[in-house]
């Protein structure tokens, strides 16, 4: 009759307590998904999966386990799930506000600075360069890019990095207002920006994804699968002859892959690999990256304002929308603008900067994948 | 103590490399984004007739002055 109590005995012996910690993590993720409505499509399966893989003698993991099989197939081999998800994301994005005001592209670039500051900090506290780069890329606010970089560098912290990347994306409405308020005054946040969109033709919208893929592919070839899938999704949306496919990519494909991705990420949340001090450090560094991305974007906007006449000044918060968390970040900026002045509508400008963050974060990932291996000789 | 110092020295070496990654990375991102910006600006001119005509007019005016 021992088999009836084997699981309970295992749980209360040796490192069994770590599994109980992981149950708590799982329950926390499920709580955030259900009660706080934070990225529920992702956090709920992740939370449930965290419990699933941390049951003693769990049949969901190991050579015959579904989660390890899904992980190997969907993330381990060619990063299929995150890349397929990018097709859906690409199909959801309307680059119109960005194309009508392409200057906003530079805010996406500036808001990647948190990635690099975090790489420096992570190196300083003892992570090797490959791991530090994998941790820094959490600041891209872009799950698939984080997974690609961590997987390519064979980081031992893949689980913690994925959890940090996706959790903080869900926490953007909490993190960004604090960071923005720390570096702006109410007067700055209340700054109005007139919205007069320039005409963007369908031809431009069709050529844009192709051009971005080619440019990013030529300069940062490692990013081409990410950029390519994102832009393929966008081309499907904009071409005008694949409406059904576009809708499928935006809804069915994105939902299905999000579900599979969420539960698959959990396969890397095994207690023995997750419950260690480095996980806490990674969580802290991930938060640091998000905060400094936002601050970097805001400060860049302030710098640009120095050179602009009074009538053309940019609300510095727009710089903070240059992170990849779309559309949460744009919504945060709109809300903060209205909070400072109930007539201050910044949504369309923020959306432009936010989608530029999508492009820039993928480019940042590709550039890190090009620079770091060359530096490490791998 | 020696082990700690050696670990700290390693961390410093990595930090210096991280600084190198930082400037190269930011430069690379701005370069790619800059090229995309130029292409989008050109596309916005070329594909909108009014803007195309206005630019053609400006170019003609410039050569007439010369």
């Amino acid at each position: 009759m021992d088999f009836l109590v084997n699981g309970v005995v295992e749980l209360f012996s040796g490192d069994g307590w770590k599994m109980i910690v992981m149950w708590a993590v799982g329950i926390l993720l499920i709580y955030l998904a259900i009660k706080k409505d934070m990225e529920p499509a992702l956090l709920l399966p992740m939370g449930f999966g965290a419990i699933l893989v941390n049951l003693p003698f769990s049949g969901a993991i190991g050579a015959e386990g579904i989660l390890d099989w899904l992980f190997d197939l969907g993330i381990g081999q060619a990063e299929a799930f995150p890349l397929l998800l990018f097709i859906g994301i690409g199909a959801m994005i309307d680059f119109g506000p960005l194309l009508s005001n392409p200057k906003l592209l530079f805010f996406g670039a500036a808001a990647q600075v948190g990635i690099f500051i975090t790489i420096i900090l992570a190196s300083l506290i003892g992570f090797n360069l490959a791991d530090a780069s994998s941790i820094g890329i959490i600041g891209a606010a872009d799950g698939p890019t984080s997974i690609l970089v961590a997987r390519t560098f064979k980081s031992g912290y893949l689980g913690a990095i994925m959890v940090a990347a996706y959790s903080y994306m869900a926490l953007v409405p909490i993190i960004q207002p604090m960071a923005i308020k720390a570096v702006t005054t109410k007067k700055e946040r209340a700054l109005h920006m007139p919205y007069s969109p320039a005409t963007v033709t369908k031809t431009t919208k069709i050529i844009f994804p192709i051009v971005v893929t080619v440019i990013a592919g030529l300069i940062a070839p490692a990013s081409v699968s990410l950029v390519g899938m994102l832009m393929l999704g966008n081309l499907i949306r904009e071409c005008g002859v694949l409406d059904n496919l576009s809708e499928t990519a935006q809804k069915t494909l994105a939902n299905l892959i999000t579900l599979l991705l969420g539960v698959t990420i959990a396969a890397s949340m095994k207690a023995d690999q997750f419950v260690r001090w480095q996980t806490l450090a990674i969580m802290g560094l991930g938060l640091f990256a998000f905060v400094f991305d936002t601050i970097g974007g805001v400060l860049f906007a302030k710098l640009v304002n120095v050179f602009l006449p009074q009538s053309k000044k940019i609300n510095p918060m727009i710089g903070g929308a240059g992170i990849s968390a779309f559309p949460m970040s744009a919504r945060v900026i709109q809300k903060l603008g209205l909070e400072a002045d109930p007539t201050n509508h910044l949504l369309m400008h923020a959306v432009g900067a936010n989608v530029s963050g999508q492009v820039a974060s993928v480019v940042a990932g590709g550039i890190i994948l090009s620079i770091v291996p060359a530096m490490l000789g791998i | 103590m020696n082990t700690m110092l050696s670990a700290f020295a390693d961390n410093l070496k990595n930090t210096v490399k991280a600084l190198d990654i930082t400037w190269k990375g930011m430069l690379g991102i701005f370069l790619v984004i800059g090229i995309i910006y130029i292409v989008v600006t050109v596309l916005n001119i070329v594909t909108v007739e009014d803007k195309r005509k206005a630019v053609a007019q400006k170019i003609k005016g410039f050569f007439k002055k010369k």
Side-chain angles (χ1 to χ4, degrees), chain B residues 22-54:
Chain B
T22 299
W23 80 261
K24 283 180 183 166
M26 285 310 288
L27 180 70
I29 294 169
F30 271 96
L31 181 71
V32 174
I33 293 295
I35 296 170
I36 295 172
Y37 168 77
I38 293 167
V39 172
V40 171
T41 306
V42 170
L43 274 175
N44 277 341
I45 293 168
V46 172
T47 58
V48 179
E49 204 177 345
D50 291 348
K51 284 185 186 172
R52 198 171 53 221
K53 280 180 182 168

Side-chain angles (χ1 to χ4, degrees), chain A residues 43-116:
Chain A
L43 291 194
L44 191 133
M46 252 167 82
F48 191 80
I51 298 171
L52 200 60
V53 299
N54 288 296
L55 290 165
F57 314 112
S58 174
I61 51 175
E64 306 283 316
I66 176 75
L67 290 189
D68 274 343
W69 178 77
L70 275 174
F71 189 88
D72 191 41
L73 193 78
I75 295 179
Q77 287 183 19
E79 222 215 344
F81 289 160
L83 290 175
L84 288 173
L85 184 59
F86 253 34
I87 296 180
I89 295 170
M92 287 177 208
I93 297 176
D94 175 11
F95 282 108
L98 177 66
L99 295 174
S100 78
N101 185 9
K103 289 186 201 86
L104 293 172
L105 273 164
F106 292 102
F107 294 112
Q112 307 307 316
V113 72
I115 295 174
F116 297 99

Side-chain angles (χ1 to χ4, degrees), chain A residues 17 121 309 313:
Chain A
W17 63 273
L121 186 64
K313 289 227 187 285

